[in-house]
Structure formats: C-alpha cells, structure tokens
Amino acid sequence: QVQLVESGGGSVQAGGSLRLSCVASEFTGATRCVAWFRQVPEKEREGVAVIYTGSGGTYVADSVKGRFTISKDNAKKTVYLQMNSLNSGDTAMYYCAAVDDACFANLRKGASAFAVWGQGTQVSVSS
C-alpha cells in the first residue's frame, strides 16, 4: 500500500510563501499522478495541481495559476507545492493524493478519482 506524508504547512502573513512537501513511499504505477487538494470546513476538496511523476507534466487550477507551482524530485520520491503571494482565501487543509493514470482528467473529476491520500497539512494565512 502506497503511503503519502505531507509537511510544510504553517502560519504565514498575506503575501508570504510556503512550500509543501509530499513524500511517497514509492514512485510506481500507483503514484503515476500525484496531486494537491485543499479543503476548508463544510466545502468539498478542491484540486489545486497535479503532476505526472514520470514525465513531469503538470496542470495547475485556474484559481491558483500564476501563484502556485507543482514540481517533483524523483530521487527523493517527493512532490512539492510552492505557494507564493498567499492570501486569506488560501487558508485550508492541504492534502496530497495519488492515482495511477489520467492525471489531468482525474484532477478535474475531483477527490473521488484519487485512491491514496496523505493525512494533510494545515496552511493558515493571516491578513
């Protein structure tokens, strides 16, 4: 069973930056796509970005495009989410998740398309 562990969350002032990390127990078929989602209470999880761990192809949601970047380090089996120009609307629990194919389509489908999840890391942005 693949495991995902997030880190890097915390509290930051508006305009600041954070980098989240998602370490996978393995980069195999089950983690062909690794994505970041975020969730605030009483709302559905929102797909933020996804990356092919093989080719490195990425997709970033329009809501964060230009501010968030997803990247990977295969040697460390880690996917990163660099978040810049943070605002209060970015406050949420951030989760990484994995699925075995169709990265972009599955991100657009939503959380139900992803089979493996980490425990989450909290990001709080104060104005």
Side-chain angles (χ1 to χ4, degrees), residues 36-38 46-50 59-61 63-64 68 81 94 107:
W36 286 97
F37 285 78
R38 64 184 182 183
E46 173 194 9
V48 173
V50 66
Y59 174 86
V60 179
S63 59
V64 300
F68 289 13
L81 185 68
Y94 284 72
L107 187 76

Side-chain angles (χ1 to χ4, degrees), residues 53-74:
T53 55
S55 68
T58 64
Y59 174 86
V60 179
D62 288 344
S63 59
V64 300
K65 193 171 291 182
R67 298 189 300 122
F68 289 13
T69 304
I70 189 168
S71 63
K72 66 182 177 72
D73 184 332
N74 285 59

Side-chain angles (χ1 to χ4, degrees), residues 12-34:
V12 64
Q13 289 192 331
S17 298
L18 283 173
R19 188 178 78 160
L20 306 183
S21 299
C22 172
V23 179
S25 57
E26 55 190 82
F27 267 8
T28 61
T31 51
R32 188 177 182 203
C33 312
V34 174

